[in-house]
Amino acid sequence: MCGEEDDGPGRLETHLYEGLLSHTRSLLAQMAKAKHPDGSPAAYADKLFADALKGCVADTESADPLERYPTLALQSLVFARLAGFLASHVGLQEDPMRKMMDAMMHGYSEVETLEAYHGHDHDDDHDHHHHHGHDHHHDHDHQH
């Protein structure tokens, strides 16, 4: 049993990575429906976010399957570093650290708002072990 997971990514890593792919599809579909005036800050922010997210997914998808989860984990650290770097150059009157933390927490919790949409953008017959429902990746993993 100890060596079972040595041939590939662990079950949890695979589950988290598949969740990224599913949530990315859901979020990008929702963002595509948003109507922002061209050239507005909201349109720019959504485009920058979507482009960065698509780039991250493209990088992980092109990586060796054993490296996909480690690449995902590294990406989150790189973007946190980038956010800190950019925030350090914004005037203090803008309270950049507070805005950065609020944005990070919004992104972190955004997955929970996608749960209602989750599962309707892919073929459920493709993954027989994938369970749908609220908080399926938080507390229910311990019920096996």
Side-chain angles (χ1 to χ4, degrees), residues 62-112:
S62 67
D64 181 276
L66 294 176
E67 294 301 315
R68 288 179 178 163
Y69 180 80
T71 300
L72 166 63
L74 183 61
Q75 289 169 341
S76 65
L77 297 176
V78 169
F79 279 98
R81 178 182 173 195
L82 178 60
F85 178 81
L86 293 174
S88 74
H89 291 84
V90 176
L92 292 178
Q93 70 276 13
E94 296 290 325
D95 197 7
M97 186 60 83
R98 167 86 183 214
K99 287 181 178 181
M100 184 181 72
M101 293 303 294
D102 286 347
M104 188 164 36
M105 293 310 297
H106 175 77
Y108 192 80
S109 66
E110 202 156 26
V111 170
E112 293 174 6

Side-chain angles (χ1 to χ4, degrees), residues 1-8 10-11:
M1 256 194 178
C2 293
E4 270 180 41
E5 299 296 325
D6 293 344
D7 293 335
R11 187 174 180 189

Side-chain angles (χ1 to χ4, degrees), residues 13-140:
E13 290 176 352
T14 300
H15 178 72
L16 291 170
Y17 181 71
E18 289 172 355
L20 166 73
L21 297 178
S22 178
H23 289 131
T24 296
R25 286 189 299 268
S26 298
L27 183 58
L28 291 176
Q30 285 181 0
M31 290 175 72
K33 295 176 187 175
K35 302 295 181 207
H36 302 297
D38 287 343
S40 71
Y44 172 73
D46 278 358
K47 181 178 181 334
L48 183 61
F49 180 88
D51 288 349
L53 182 56
K54 289 174 189 176
C56 286
V57 170
D59 288 352
T60 56
E61 284 292 278
S62 67
D64 181 276
L66 294 176
E67 294 301 315
R68 288 179 178 163
Y69 180 80
T71 300
L72 166 63
L74 183 61
Q75 289 169 341
S76 65
L77 297 176
V78 169
F79 279 98
R81 178 182 173 195
L82 178 60
F85 178 81
L86 293 174
S88 74
H89 291 84
V90 176
L92 292 178
Q93 70 276 13
E94 296 290 325
D95 197 7
M97 186 60 83
R98 167 86 183 214
K99 287 181 178 181
M100 184 181 72
M101 293 303 294
D102 286 347
M104 188 164 36
M105 293 310 297
H106 175 77
Y108 192 80
S109 66
E110 202 156 26
V111 170
E112 293 174 6
T113 66
L114 294 171
E115 292 301 320
Y117 187 86
H118 181 69
H120 302 286
D121 59 345
H122 60 89
D123 182 5
D124 284 337
D125 294 334
H126 186 66
D127 184 358
H128 299 287
H129 300 292
H130 189 84
H131 302 286
H132 298 278
H134 297 289
D135 293 321
H136 68 274
H137 52 79
H138 295 289
D139 298 325
H140 299 279

